[in-house]
mmCIF file of all heavy atoms in Angstrom:
data_model
loop_
_atom_site.group_PDB
_atom_site.id
_atom_site.type_symbol
_atom_site.label_atom_id
_atom_site.label_comp_id
_atom_site.label_asym_id
_atom_site.label_seq_id
_atom_site.Cartn_x
_atom_site.Cartn_y
_atom_site.Cartn_z
ATOM 1 N N ARG D 158 -21.488 -5.981 43.892
ATOM 2 C CA ARG D 158 -21.639 -4.633 44.384
ATOM 3 C C ARG D 158 -23.133 -4.280 44.205
ATOM 4 O O ARG D 158 -23.866 -4.949 43.488
ATOM 5 C CB ARG D 158 -20.816 -3.671 43.478
ATOM 6 C CG ARG D 158 -21.160 -3.705 42.000
ATOM 7 C CD ARG D 158 -20.253 -2.798 41.223
ATOM 8 N NE ARG D 158 -20.355 -2.802 39.878
ATOM 9 C CZ ARG D 158 -19.406 -3.096 38.962
ATOM 10 N NH1 ARG D 158 -18.103 -3.223 39.505
ATOM 11 N NH2 ARG D 158 -19.592 -3.197 37.699
ATOM 12 N N VAL D 159 -23.435 -3.134 44.763
ATOM 13 C CA VAL D 159 -24.913 -2.699 44.576
ATOM 14 C C VAL D 159 -24.896 -1.414 43.883
ATOM 15 O O VAL D 159 -24.001 -0.530 43.943
ATOM 16 C CB VAL D 159 -25.538 -2.379 46.111
ATOM 17 C CG1 VAL D 159 -25.720 -3.739 46.855
ATOM 18 C CG2 VAL D 159 -24.793 -1.409 46.841
ATOM 19 N N THR D 160 -25.927 -1.303 43.041
ATOM 20 C CA THR D 160 -26.141 -0.135 42.189
ATOM 21 C C THR D 160 -27.640 0.146 41.935
ATOM 22 O O THR D 160 -28.459 -0.594 42.520
ATOM 23 C CB THR D 160 -25.526 -0.357 40.733
ATOM 24 O OG1 THR D 160 -26.141 -1.499 40.100
ATOM 25 C CG2 THR D 160 -23.991 -0.537 40.780
ATOM 26 N N GLY D 161 -27.942 1.175 41.151
ATOM 27 C CA GLY D 161 -29.317 1.415 40.728
ATOM 28 C C GLY D 161 -29.920 2.565 41.519
ATOM 29 O O GLY D 161 -29.343 3.287 42.232
ATOM 30 N N GLY D 162 -31.267 2.697 41.202
ATOM 31 C CA GLY D 162 -32.083 3.787 41.758
ATOM 32 C C GLY D 162 -32.035 3.955 43.254
ATOM 33 O O GLY D 162 -31.958 5.093 43.773
ATOM 34 N N PHE D 163 -32.216 2.803 43.940
ATOM 35 C CA PHE D 163 -32.256 2.935 45.413
ATOM 36 C C PHE D 163 -30.958 3.399 45.922
ATOM 37 O O PHE D 163 -30.925 4.155 46.914
ATOM 38 C CB PHE D 163 -32.637 1.499 45.880
ATOM 39 C CG PHE D 163 -34.036 1.065 45.785
ATOM 40 C CD1 PHE D 163 -34.261 -0.068 45.116
ATOM 41 C CD2 PHE D 163 -35.019 1.805 46.282
ATOM 42 C CE1 PHE D 163 -35.567 -0.520 44.912
ATOM 43 C CE2 PHE D 163 -36.305 1.389 46.153
ATOM 44 C CZ PHE D 163 -36.646 0.296 45.365
ATOM 45 N N THR D 164 -29.812 2.935 45.297
ATOM 46 C CA THR D 164 -28.510 3.458 45.794
ATOM 47 C C THR D 164 -28.411 5.007 45.614
ATOM 48 O O THR D 164 -27.932 5.634 46.480
ATOM 49 C CB THR D 164 -27.380 2.848 44.944
ATOM 50 O OG1 THR D 164 -27.670 1.435 44.866
ATOM 51 C CG2 THR D 164 -26.067 3.103 45.594
ATOM 52 N N LEU D 165 -28.777 5.506 44.526
ATOM 53 C CA LEU D 165 -28.739 6.922 44.183
ATOM 54 C C LEU D 165 -29.677 7.676 45.120
ATOM 55 O O LEU D 165 -29.237 8.783 45.542
ATOM 56 C CB LEU D 165 -29.218 7.205 42.817
ATOM 57 C CG LEU D 165 -28.183 6.629 41.652
ATOM 58 C CD1 LEU D 165 -28.761 6.878 40.331
ATOM 59 C CD2 LEU D 165 -26.828 7.253 41.778
ATOM 60 N N GLN D 166 -30.731 7.168 45.495
ATOM 61 C CA GLN D 166 -31.652 7.858 46.498
ATOM 62 C C GLN D 166 -31.033 7.933 47.738
ATOM 63 O O GLN D 166 -31.087 8.978 48.463
ATOM 64 C CB GLN D 166 -32.995 7.155 46.537
ATOM 65 C CG GLN D 166 -33.920 7.263 45.339
ATOM 66 C CD GLN D 166 -35.169 6.412 45.485
ATOM 67 O OE1 GLN D 166 -35.573 6.031 46.605
ATOM 68 N NE2 GLN D 166 -35.757 6.059 44.363
ATOM 69 N N MET D 167 -30.283 6.899 48.206
ATOM 70 C CA MET D 167 -29.629 6.930 49.494
ATOM 71 C C MET D 167 -28.499 7.963 49.485
ATOM 72 O O MET D 167 -28.291 8.624 50.546
ATOM 73 C CB MET D 167 -29.056 5.524 49.731
ATOM 74 C CG MET D 167 -28.394 5.366 51.174
ATOM 75 S SD MET D 167 -28.006 3.648 51.469
ATOM 76 C CE MET D 167 -27.407 3.762 53.221
ATOM 77 N N LEU D 168 -27.898 8.081 48.373
ATOM 78 C CA LEU D 168 -26.713 9.021 48.236
ATOM 79 C C LEU D 168 -27.172 10.494 48.297
ATOM 80 O O LEU D 168 -26.341 11.390 48.540
ATOM 81 C CB LEU D 168 -25.898 8.781 47.003
ATOM 82 C CG LEU D 168 -25.109 7.445 46.970
ATOM 83 C CD1 LEU D 168 -24.356 7.258 45.643
ATOM 84 C CD2 LEU D 168 -24.147 7.297 48.119
ATOM 85 N N ASP D 169 -28.492 10.749 47.956
ATOM 86 C CA ASP D 169 -28.951 12.176 47.927
ATOM 87 C C ASP D 169 -28.617 12.919 49.279
ATOM 88 O O ASP D 169 -28.408 14.101 49.192
ATOM 89 C CB ASP D 169 -30.444 12.191 47.649
ATOM 90 C CG ASP D 169 -30.752 11.949 46.125
ATOM 91 O OD1 ASP D 169 -29.828 12.138 45.348
ATOM 92 O OD2 ASP D 169 -31.913 11.566 45.799
ATOM 93 N N ASN D 170 -28.784 12.204 50.295
ATOM 94 C CA ASN D 170 -28.563 12.813 51.665
ATOM 95 C C ASN D 170 -27.303 12.363 52.432
ATOM 96 O O ASN D 170 -27.259 12.487 53.583
ATOM 97 C CB ASN D 170 -29.863 12.617 52.486
ATOM 98 C CG ASN D 170 -31.081 13.156 51.906
ATOM 99 O OD1 ASN D 170 -31.140 14.287 51.524
ATOM 100 N ND2 ASN D 170 -32.056 12.293 51.767
ATOM 101 N N LEU D 171 -26.304 11.947 51.637
ATOM 102 C CA LEU D 171 -25.113 11.331 52.154
ATOM 103 C C LEU D 171 -23.956 12.174 51.727
ATOM 104 O O LEU D 171 -23.795 12.526 50.630
ATOM 105 C CB LEU D 171 -24.933 9.911 51.720
ATOM 106 C CG LEU D 171 -23.603 9.205 52.004
ATOM 107 C CD1 LEU D 171 -23.347 9.132 53.591
ATOM 108 C CD2 LEU D 171 -23.532 7.808 51.399
ATOM 109 N N PHE D 172 -23.028 12.533 52.771
ATOM 110 C CA PHE D 172 -21.921 13.266 52.514
ATOM 111 C C PHE D 172 -20.740 12.683 53.397
ATOM 112 O O PHE D 172 -20.875 12.331 54.485
ATOM 113 C CB PHE D 172 -22.155 14.745 52.853
ATOM 114 C CG PHE D 172 -23.136 15.502 52.093
ATOM 115 C CD1 PHE D 172 -24.451 15.521 52.507
ATOM 116 C CD2 PHE D 172 -22.793 16.086 50.876
ATOM 117 C CE1 PHE D 172 -25.417 16.082 51.790
ATOM 118 C CE2 PHE D 172 -23.816 16.718 50.086
ATOM 119 C CZ PHE D 172 -25.147 16.646 50.512
ATOM 120 N N VAL D 173 -19.578 12.625 52.683
ATOM 121 C CA VAL D 173 -18.465 11.960 53.290
ATOM 122 C C VAL D 173 -17.184 12.840 53.270
ATOM 123 O O VAL D 173 -17.066 13.718 52.456
ATOM 124 C CB VAL D 173 -18.069 10.613 52.665
ATOM 125 C CG1 VAL D 173 -19.280 9.564 52.750
ATOM 126 C CG2 VAL D 173 -17.647 10.711 51.232
ATOM 127 N N ASP D 174 -16.255 12.591 54.149
ATOM 128 C CA ASP D 174 -15.038 13.295 54.222
ATOM 129 C C ASP D 174 -14.086 12.881 53.013
ATOM 130 O O ASP D 174 -13.487 13.707 52.378
ATOM 131 C CB ASP D 174 -14.204 13.052 55.562
ATOM 132 C CG ASP D 174 -15.038 13.551 56.736
ATOM 133 O OD1 ASP D 174 -15.783 14.611 56.512
ATOM 134 O OD2 ASP D 174 -14.995 12.801 57.703
ATOM 135 N N LYS D 175 -13.927 11.499 52.779
ATOM 136 C CA LYS D 175 -13.021 11.036 51.783
ATOM 137 C C LYS D 175 -13.775 9.862 51.090
ATOM 138 O O LYS D 175 -14.321 8.978 51.763
ATOM 139 C CB LYS D 175 -11.727 10.500 52.442
ATOM 140 C CG LYS D 175 -10.988 11.634 53.238
ATOM 141 C CD LYS D 175 -9.673 10.999 53.805
ATOM 142 C CE LYS D 175 -8.888 12.049 54.572
ATOM 143 N NZ LYS D 175 -9.411 12.145 56.001
ATOM 144 N N TYR D 176 -13.521 9.891 49.812
ATOM 145 C CA TYR D 176 -14.155 8.844 48.921
ATOM 146 C C TYR D 176 -12.893 8.184 48.193
ATOM 147 O O TYR D 176 -12.198 8.801 47.438
ATOM 148 C CB TYR D 176 -15.091 9.287 48.036
ATOM 149 C CG TYR D 176 -15.710 8.370 47.040
ATOM 150 C CD1 TYR D 176 -15.847 7.010 47.285
ATOM 151 C CD2 TYR D 176 -16.142 8.788 45.799
ATOM 152 C CE1 TYR D 176 -16.432 6.158 46.415
ATOM 153 C CE2 TYR D 176 -16.645 7.895 44.821
ATOM 154 C CZ TYR D 176 -16.800 6.628 45.117
ATOM 155 O OH TYR D 176 -17.305 5.606 44.244
ATOM 156 N N PHE D 177 -12.762 6.817 48.337
ATOM 157 C CA PHE D 177 -11.672 6.150 47.706
ATOM 158 C C PHE D 177 -12.287 5.357 46.552
ATOM 159 O O PHE D 177 -13.081 4.471 46.672
ATOM 160 C CB PHE D 177 -11.107 5.141 48.773
ATOM 161 C CG PHE D 177 -10.378 5.930 49.900
ATOM 162 C CD1 PHE D 177 -11.049 6.266 51.016
ATOM 163 C CD2 PHE D 177 -9.071 6.324 49.732
ATOM 164 C CE1 PHE D 177 -10.365 6.987 52.028
ATOM 165 C CE2 PHE D 177 -8.344 7.074 50.725
ATOM 166 C CZ PHE D 177 -9.092 7.301 51.894
#
Side-chain angles (χ1 to χ4, degrees):
R158 61 178 173 238
V159 295
T160 57
F163 288 120
T164 312
L165 294 175
Q166 289 176 22
M167 186 173 183
L168 293 178
D169 282 339
N170 300 308
L171 168 64
F172 298 90
V173 300
D174 300 321
K175 302 179 180 87
Y176 175 33
F177 295 90

